[in-house]
Amino acid sequence: MATKPVILTADDDPQVLRAVERDLRAHYGREYRILRAASGPEAMGALRELAERGTPVALIVSDHRMPEMDGVEFLGQTVTLFPDTKRVLLTAYADTDAAIRAINVAGVDRYLLKPWDPPEERLYPVLDDLLAEWQASYRPAFEGVRVLGSRWSPRAYELREFLARNHVPYLWLDIEARERDAEVSRLASTLGDPPHLPLVVLPDGTRLDSPTPAELSGHVGLQTRADRDFYDLVIVGGGPAGLASAVYGASEGLRTLIVEREAPGGQAGLSSRIENYLGFSSGISGSRLAQEAVTQAKRFGVEIVTGAATALRVEGPYRVLELADGSSVSSHAVIIATGVQWRQLDVPGLERLQGAGVYYGAGTTEALAVKDETVYIVGGANSAGQAAMNFARFAREVVMLVRGPSLTASMSQYLIEQIEQTPGIRVELNSGVVGVHGEERLEAIDVFCSSSGETQTLPATSLFIFIGAQPGTEWLSGVLERDGRGFILSGPELMKGGKRPPGWPLDRDPGLLETSVPGVFVVGDVRLGSVKRVASGVGEGSVAISFVHQYLANV
């Protein structure tokens, strides 16, 4: 339910305070939450807490003669926290001159004389008018997760991407907008000195200072530990291949667990638009595809845990997966579907600016932030083209820096045609980034053109990099057979010279998607020889389940 706006009353006289609260509650209690405070400092503390939680305050009613802090001073200080709130000063007849001055100086809207009996004549009509005026301009505050920080903070970017990819609604509050955004100003006023940013404020008011995604996971409803110790099937990775395996496995009766390090969807989940996936004539965003797949998997009873796999070992007929939090889960069969990670661009100083103007992948949370700016994209494959089309909706100009002489070798023709027809996209061939400038954030880039031999230094605030990918399979070293780049071998790739892999214990050859450990299968981009397409990953993930059944039938 939506949070009720608050009416706060402050008075140091307990009898008067109870009377004000009683009358306010009787007339406004159904639509407003009535709070009271016995002093100005106590009321300020309550207001700071309300500001931290994002709770709206419609009206403050304060007595004038209070010790420590009189009503005029108190109401004046509340303007910083709640600039749009209506303010009423309760005063004695002898203080009316001070009350009138307060209207001009302290932002007080009205003053009322004590006593106010009967309230139907001397209190409610005045407050009704003020509350009606407040309601006319009131917009209910966002009640989900709020993230306050700087656009150029790597941790803030990491948290926003984590929340977005896990489909957790959140509100981004840029600290640099404090002068023009009332909510940012209110929340910023509650920060300590020095402030610990980014600050995450949960719906219940809990504050987390610069948390890691792992620390945030449990607070936003993501499952971080498995419910059971044993499953029929454990899938490592929640991209299209892993989700497809989960849907088919669970729908066919297997108790199935997905362990996903970051967020379901994998790299495909970061795609702004997938145009050539069968069944979606107008295309579908990677985020939407991932969300639908997660919903489908959960409908069949798939359990999804957010966590990183750190090791895999064999204990007789069981496969044991160890996780970063120290826990472990066992299963009869395992499917590795961890996909690939973006390859790093080897440019001095680039790593320092990652998340502060330099981004790997689509940077979905940055699309609105680049409005009216020039965005540079490094890469010439489909992922780069899809990102260019997305950013062209917001940015003044999108410049694609492509190392090769054309796009045809690495990009689908439909996407090339879209780029050519979009006036806001400029493609620079035979070009690449060789240097970056900036201390706390990206300020400029050096672009080398191989055809002219010239290097230009260009002002830049946003650089998105798509230069291929590599598997992150170091945690499987010594367990599964991999090639020199880390891709996992399976099926025929394991049969060197027609011989089974060393240590293979069964009197049969490894299955088509089976790794060098029986009962451990690999699907999707992490598999050596896979076709790097969403559809092929989904196909492999679904087909793998038939091999899992064959394996389980003979365990």
Side-chain angles (χ1 to χ4, degrees):
M1 296 181 61
T3 300
K4 285 184 178 181
V6 166
I7 295 177
L8 174 69
T9 181
D11 199 308
D12 67 307
D13 185 325
Q15 186 174 354
V16 175
L17 184 61
R18 285 195 296 270
V20 176
E21 181 190 23
R22 177 200 63 213
D23 289 344
L24 291 175
R25 195 177 300 279
H27 194 68
Y28 302 108
R30 294 189 63 175
E31 297 180 1
Y32 296 89
R33 180 183 171 198
I34 312 300
L35 299 180
R36 67 180 186 181
S39 68
E42 181 182 328
M44 285 301 299
L47 289 171
R48 290 189 185 95
E49 185 174 341
L50 292 171
E52 292 175 8
R53 295 183 178 182
T55 304
V57 176
L59 175 69
I60 302 173
V61 180
S62 174
D63 183 44
H64 175 44
R65 291 182 177 267
M66 294 188 296
E68 299 182 76
M69 180 188 296
D70 66 31
V72 174
E73 182 184 359
F74 161 60
L75 291 175
Q77 290 191 17
T78 65
V79 175
T80 301
L81 291 174
F82 294 97
D84 300 324
T85 294
K86 300 302 178 181
R87 295 165 179 79
V88 173
L89 186 70
L90 294 179
T91 184
Y93 181 78
D95 296 322
T96 54
D97 288 344
I100 293 172
R101 288 195 300 272
I103 292 176
N104 298 325
V105 176
V108 174
D109 294 285
R110 295 289 293 271
Y111 73 90
L112 294 174
L113 296 177
K114 297 187 297 184
W116 55 87
D117 290 328
E120 291 78 10
E121 297 179 10
R122 303 181 62 184
L123 180 66
Y124 298 149
V126 173
L127 300 189
D128 285 347
D129 288 344
L130 291 175
L131 289 171
E133 185 179 342
W134 181 83
Q135 284 282 3
S137 59
Y138 167 60
R139 298 293 180 269
F142 177 79
E143 295 187 350
V145 176
R146 290 177 291 161
V147 182
L148 175 68
S150 168
R151 172 187 171 187
W152 310 112
S153 163
R155 175 56 58 82
Y157 171 75
E158 182 182 29
L159 292 174
R160 286 183 288 139
E161 279 286 282
F162 175 77
L163 292 170
R165 294 186 62 191
N166 281 284
H167 311 289
V168 177
Y170 75 96
L171 180 65
W172 165 243
L173 302 172
D174 191 338
I175 191 69
E176 295 179 8
R178 71 176 83 188
E179 300 299 327
R180 60 183 185 276
D181 189 307
E183 186 167 5
V184 175
S185 177
R186 284 197 300 269
L187 197 53
S189 68
T190 68
L191 297 173
D193 187 23
H196 296 285
L197 294 176
L199 172 69
V200 176
V201 183
L202 304 178
D204 64 359
T206 300
R207 296 163 63 104
L208 304 175
D209 294 337
S210 191
T212 64
E215 292 167 343
L216 184 58
S217 295
H219 291 282
V220 295
L222 299 179
Q223 186 175 344
T224 58
R225 294 185 73 92
D227 289 339
R228 302 185 180 97
D229 294 327
F230 184 84
Y231 295 82
D232 296 318
L233 173 64
V234 170
I235 301 166
V236 188
L243 287 168
S245 293
V247 167
Y248 278 84
S251 67
E252 295 174 12
L254 299 179
R255 290 175 298 175
T256 303
L257 171 72
I258 289 180
V259 177
E260 167 55 46
R261 184 183 61 179
E262 296 177 347
Q267 283 196 354
L270 292 171
S271 177
S272 56
R273 204 76 184 164
I274 302 171
E275 299 276 7
N276 56 358
Y277 190 68
L278 184 66
F280 296 91
S281 58
S282 58
I284 185 172
S285 71
S287 175
R288 172 73 185 282
L289 183 63
Q291 189 173 17
E292 292 289 345
V294 167
T295 301
Q296 188 178 26
K298 288 184 175 180
R299 184 166 66 86
F300 286 118
V302 174
E303 190 179 333
I304 301 178
V305 167
T306 301
T310 58
L312 176 67
R313 68 178 189 272
V314 176
E315 292 185 358
Y318 308 117
R319 278 73 185 118
V320 181
L321 188 71
E322 297 179 6
L323 305 180
D325 65 358
S327 64
S328 63
V329 289
S330 301
S331 63
H332 284 306
V334 170
I335 293 178
I336 306 296
T338 50
V340 289
Q341 303 167 1
W342 292 113
R343 189 161 58 86
Q344 305 290 296
L345 182 62
D346 186 16
V347 171
L350 196 69
E351 184 177 355
R352 185 186 73 254
L353 297 174
Q354 189 170 337
V358 174
Y359 310 98
Y360 286 91
T364 52
T365 60
E366 296 302 295
L368 291 175
V370 301
K371 182 176 174 60
D372 299 327
E373 297 179 4
T374 297
V375 172
Y376 290 91
I377 292 178
V378 179
N382 278 7
S383 53
Q386 290 162 352
M389 292 298 299
N390 182 48
F391 283 121
R393 297 159 51 209
F394 307 96
R396 180 177 65 248
E397 183 183 33
V398 176
V399 181
M400 296 187 67
L401 302 174
V402 181
R403 183 176 58 180
S406 73
L407 291 172
T408 56
S410 55
M411 187 178 293
S412 298
Q413 184 60 35
Y414 81 88
L415 200 49
I416 294 175
E417 293 174 358
Q418 289 182 357
I419 290 172
E420 290 174 345
Q421 295 167 8
T422 304
I425 300 178
R426 175 161 53 94
V427 179
E428 295 290 344
L429 302 174
N430 303 305
S431 299
V433 174
V434 294
V436 294
H437 304 275
E439 292 301 321
E440 296 183 356
R441 65 180 182 88
L442 180 67
E443 297 176 2
I445 59 175
D446 295 331
V447 178
F448 173 72
C449 178
S450 60
S451 58
S452 67
E454 297 180 353
T455 298
Q456 284 183 293
T457 298
L458 305 172
T461 55
S462 298
L463 178 69
F464 295 87
I465 303 169
F466 304 81
I467 57 169
Q470 56 193 15
T473 58
E474 295 80 7
W475 63 283
L476 292 169
S477 177
V479 180
L480 302 182
E481 291 277 343
R482 304 176 300 149
D483 75 348
R485 296 174 297 169
F487 288 97
I488 298 173
L489 279 62
S490 63
E493 299 289 345
L494 290 167
M495 302 293 291
K496 299 175 182 177
K499 296 181 180 180
R500 296 167 183 164
W504 181 260
L506 303 180
D507 188 23
R508 64 168 177 82
D509 296 343
L512 184 61
L513 298 175
E514 198 167 20
T515 70
S516 56
V517 173
V520 178
F521 302 84
V522 59
V523 296
D525 291 356
V526 72
R527 183 180 67 83
L528 179 65
S530 65
V531 178
K532 307 300 187 284
R533 290 289 186 270
V534 175
S536 63
V538 170
E540 286 187 16
S542 58
V543 168
I545 297 304
S546 64
F547 299 131
V548 170
H549 282 301
Q550 292 174 21
Y551 170 78
L552 294 179
N554 295 291
V555 172

